[in-house]
Amino acid sequence: MTGSGREKTPYCPVGRVLGLRERKKLEAWRTIRSTALRLISERGFDAVSVEDIAAEAGVSRTTFFSYFRSKEAVVYDLDPQELQQWRELLADAPGDEPLWEALTGLVLSLAELLADRLPLQKRLFQQSPELCDSSRDVCDSFGPDLREWVARRTPDGDELHAALVLNTAFAAFNTAIEAWDPDDSFDHFLDLARDCLRLAGGGLARSVS
Amino acid sequence: MTGSGREKTPYCPVGRVLGLRERKKLEAWRTIRSTALRLISERGFDAVSVEDIAAEAGVSRTTFFSYFRSKEAVVYDLDPQELQQWRELLADAPGDEPLWEALTGLVLSLAELLADRLPLQKRLFQQSPELCDSSRDVCDSFGPDLREWVARRTPDGDELHAALVLNTAFAAFNTAIEAWDPDDSFDHFLDLARDCLRLAGGGLARSVS
DNA sequence: ACCCGAACCTGAACTCAGTACAGAGTTTTA
DNA sequence: TAAAACTCTGTACTGAGTTCAGGTTCGGGT
């Protein structure tokens, strides 16, 4: 919905020094999120309604939707502080590396940033296939930013190549997520992601099998 | 929804010789689909409700949902005959080629199979970003079959590689779709798809830019 | 300290996707 | 031609997502 506007409201800015308002908002965001994750991991995604989450978080249904665009978003969205770190990462990324190498680095940094959330998230995927189906992309929340970053450093005429590189990096990342067992260590996931990115970057054509 | 069962009902079987029942069903399927595409291309995806489609197609809302799992599905699903051709393609695919080459071939054959529908579909994407967002994958309808095909010809222990190859092929295909202008010839699209698959297969790491 | 505007929260009412089901109608089969 | 199997339809329901008109709370001046 909402056409393709990026952010309806500049929600949860996370500036340097937070006023009372901003602190409350961040707190509300986190209460809703953690409540949601708790309920969903207890009962499964489908068995929890937005109403349940809102009630349990002590907030109205309407407010829930002012913090999260959809029910899935409460699972996928980055914490405002993570989002800020992610944007700093993008801002600081070197501009001289070849695109694929730069992207590989970014994706791996991102993975580390998500270290806390990913295991739980992956477990939710396994419990609730409907979650997997709907948003098949864990990339939803950071994807747009990354797209923009790629676009900015892409010379005219090379859009196809840039898009291909980006989509392939996503594919590699998602493949690693799919393959990972959340009971294994997170380092193991990082290895998987590295492997996938390396294989995809090195060319899938000539290869085993 | 529906756990992860493949097909709730074996709808529209398209056997060799069709009985009256099957003929009616195929006809109904096509009426609904074409009505839907017409209305949606006239008014936009969001401005058309399932009720509108059903009414215009002379069928009940309930019946609509017995033919299509969702409102998006009516745009994405393969025609039962296309689906059959696609399955034959899979069945006939050689088992001795390396995985990437085999997949490349399959994806390109698939593209040709979709020649009629793709231009309109791409135009709908452009008109209705909400369509793009929701099902970011044109691969939805044939993806499961292809996954299964890949799984069958994957030796144990190589699942990661197989998944990576598959996801990357999808990524390349989607990239081509994204990049294609539906006012250009369909051959141009095929060239794009070929290029994307070749680039991804050949290794994105060392490359221009 | 006070006030005003802006930002925020809320309940209520609404639209629409998707599901369940029971009954009526149609095709198939024997 | 009658029973069995399948299909369609209306009805009624759940729940996601939106809109909106208040009420409340915060922040920045003065």
Side-chain angles (χ1 to χ4, degrees), chain A residues 1 20-21 24 49-50 61 70-71:
Chain A
M1 323 299 131
L20 175 54
R21 203 150 238 175
K24 276 192 169 179
S49 71
V50 170
R61 232 176 67 85
S70 66
K71 190 182 169 189

Side-chain angles (χ1 to χ4, degrees), chain B residues 1 19-21 24 49-50 61-62 65 70-71:
Chain B
M1 327 300 129
L20 174 54
R21 207 154 235 174
K24 277 190 171 180
S49 71
V50 171
R61 231 177 67 85
T62 314
F65 282 110
S70 66
K71 190 181 167 190

Side-chain angles (χ1 to χ4, degrees), chain A residues 153-192:
Chain A
R153 82 196 285 296
T154 299
D156 289 349
D158 231 7
E159 285 87 6
L160 178 63
H161 179 257
L164 180 60
V165 165
L166 181 56
N167 288 340
T168 305
F170 278 160
F173 187 55
N174 281 325
T175 305
I177 292 184
E178 280 170 31
W180 179 48
D181 178 344
D183 291 327
D184 284 353
S185 74
F186 192 76
D187 280 341
H188 186 251
F189 168 70
L190 287 179
D191 288 341
L192 279 175

Side-chain angles (χ1 to χ4, degrees), chain A residues 7 9 50 60 69-70 72 155 183 194 196 200 208:
Chain A
E7 223 124 308
T9 335
V50 170
S60 83
R69 289 186 316 283
S70 66
E72 281 106 47
D183 291 327
R194 241 188 300 273
C196 288
V208 287

Side-chain angles (χ1 to χ4, degrees), chain B residues 41-111:
Chain B
S41 61
E42 282 168 10
R43 307 186 207 159
F45 187 77
D46 269 10
V48 176
S49 71
V50 171
E51 188 135 354
D52 294 337
I53 298 170
E56 188 85 5
V59 103
S60 83
R61 231 177 67 85
T62 314
T63 300
F64 175 96
F65 282 110
S66 87
Y67 280 90
F68 299 95
R69 288 186 317 283
S70 66
K71 190 181 167 190
E72 281 104 45
V74 84
V75 177
Y76 292 120
D77 275 5
L78 268 68
D79 182 285
Q81 285 190 346
E82 287 172 346
L83 184 58
Q84 198 183 236
Q85 293 179 267
W86 169 235
R87 292 199 166 138
E88 284 164 10
L89 230 55
L90 286 181
D92 298 347
D96 47 357
E97 268 180 312
L99 187 52
W100 178 261
E101 276 70 18
L103 262 181
T104 297
L106 279 171
V107 168
L108 289 173
S109 312
L110 177 66

Side-chain angles (χ1 to χ4, degrees), chain A residues 15-75:
Chain A
R16 294 105 305 275
V17 183
L18 309 186
L20 175 54
R21 203 150 238 175
E22 278 158 325
R23 247 179 302 126
K24 276 192 169 179
K25 230 159 125 171
L26 185 52
E27 194 193 358
W29 192 97
R30 288 184 172 150
T31 304
I32 298 175
R33 149 92 106 204
S34 59
T35 306
L37 292 184
R38 179 168 54 79
L39 292 182
I40 291 174
S41 60
E42 282 168 9
R43 306 186 207 160
F45 188 77
D46 269 11
V48 177
S49 71
V50 170
E51 188 135 350
D52 294 337
I53 298 171
E56 187 86 6
V59 104
S60 83
R61 232 176 67 85
T62 315
T63 300
F64 175 95
F65 282 111
S66 87
Y67 281 90
F68 299 95
R69 289 186 316 283
S70 66
K71 190 182 169 189
E72 281 106 47
V74 84
V75 177

